[in-house]
């Protein structure tokens, strides 16, 4: 029988270690989140213009909110692709140090989408 034998030579070599200068300790603790939205969820009708625009074109308001939280101009892709407003809301909470309420946000966007989007403006 023809046998093929392969052998490999493995050479282990220790890499030199780089020493980093000691600096301030980095902690993974997040600052206390205590902020709240300025307007309540059902105060959306106080911004009548955004409310009417959102009623007829939710993707426009969702895209506008996403562009604002990203600190950029609104473009047509924001409106056509319709940014997920729940994730935009989570970005807003993080950016402005608002307390996390993922369950409430999920319910707000499931049952009161327009009011939640207007609150995010």
């Amino acid at each position: 029988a023809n046998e093929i034998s392969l052998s490999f030579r493995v050479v282990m070599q220790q890499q030199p270690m780089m020493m980093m200068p000691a600096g301030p300790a980095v902690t993974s603790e997040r600052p206390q989140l205590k902020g709240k939205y300025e307007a309540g969820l059902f105060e959306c009708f106080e911004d009548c213009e955004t409310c009417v625009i959102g009623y007829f074109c939710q993707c426009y308001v969702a895209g506008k909110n996403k562009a604002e939280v990203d600190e950029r101009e609104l473009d047509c892709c924001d409106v056509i692709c319709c940014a997920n407003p729940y994730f935009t809301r989570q970005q807003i909470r993080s950016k402005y140090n608002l307390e996390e309420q993922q369950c409430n946000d999920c319910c707000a966007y499931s049952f009161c989408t327009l009011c939640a989007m207007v609150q995010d403006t």
Side-chain angles (χ1 to χ4, degrees):
N2 294 337
E3 289 184 24
I4 298 176
S5 175
L6 298 175
S7 63
F8 297 95
R9 182 174 173 206
V10 178
V11 177
M12 302 279 293
Q13 186 175 21
Q14 186 174 2
Q15 297 293 322
M17 294 178 55
M18 275 183 46
M19 300 300 287
M20 299 298 287
V26 177
T27 62
S28 62
E29 289 184 32
R30 292 180 61 179
Q32 181 65 30
L33 302 176
K34 55 187 167 195
K36 295 186 183 293
Y37 275 90
E38 291 177 4
L41 182 63
F42 297 109
E43 295 175 21
C44 59
F45 299 108
E46 290 181 15
D47 183 359
C48 199
E49 180 182 347
T50 304
C51 195
V52 169
I53 292 170
Y55 181 78
F56 291 104
C57 188
Q58 287 186 357
C59 287
Y60 173 79
V61 177
K64 183 175 177 235
N65 289 344
K66 177 67 174 150
E68 284 180 7
V69 79
D70 289 346
E71 297 178 356
R72 60 181 174 77
E73 294 293 319
L74 175 71
D75 61 25
C76 63
C77 289
D78 292 317
V79 177
I80 293 170
C81 296
C82 197
N84 184 320
Y86 172 81
F87 293 116
T88 301
R89 191 171 182 94
Q90 299 310 306
Q91 280 185 280
I92 291 169
R93 286 190 179 279
S94 178
K95 181 176 181 176
Y96 296 107
N97 202 28
L98 304 177
E99 64 180 301
E100 295 177 9
Q101 296 183 348
Q102 294 176 350
C103 185
N104 289 351
D105 292 344
C106 184
C107 288
Y109 273 105
S110 296
F111 303 111
C112 305
T113 306
L114 180 58
C115 291
M117 281 196 306
V118 172
Q119 186 183 35
D120 286 342
T121 59

